[in-house]
Amino acid sequence: MATSRAYRRDLPQVREARQFVASEIESAGGAVTDDVLLVVSELVTNAVRHGGGDMEVRVAVGGSSACIAVLDDGGRVVAQPPESPPVDSVGG
């Protein structure tokens, strides 16, 4: 079963979103790893910096896996790069 929570697009909300996801995973009997918290931080930070409107963080925990999604109202168009960046490039 998925649960979700709405957040303002504001950097302090990154911490709140991490705590929400950790709580949902622990409530389902799962283990919260540093990797999971890093993914949540990255997704929410990207939505804050590049998204539009408010955000929604969704978590669905099943067995030994968790699906985490961060949605926003959009509003920004990112141009598709003309070709894949080199493997050693920063970003991309």
Side-chain angles (χ1 to χ4, degrees):
M1 178 173 86
T3 57
S4 66
R5 185 169 290 170
Y7 295 94
R8 295 179 323 279
R9 272 186 48 248
D10 192 13
L11 282 176
Q13 298 297 296
V14 175
R15 178 175 171 249
E16 299 294 325
R18 277 194 314 263
Q19 290 174 338
F20 165 65
V21 170
S23 174
E24 292 298 314
I25 291 172
E26 289 172 344
S27 293
V32 178
T33 65
D34 289 340
D35 290 340
V36 168
L37 298 178
L38 177 62
V39 167
V40 173
S41 293
E42 290 291 324
L43 292 173
V44 174
T45 299
N46 284 345
V48 168
R49 290 189 174 162
H50 306 292
D54 291 333
M55 301 177 294
E56 178 184 356
V57 177
R58 293 182 187 169
V59 183
V61 182
S64 62
S65 65
C67 179
I68 302 163
V70 177
L71 301 94
D72 63 56
D73 293 333
R76 299 221 176 145
V77 176
V78 178
Q80 180 71 23
E83 58 186 54
S84 297
V87 174
D88 60 349
S89 69
V90 177

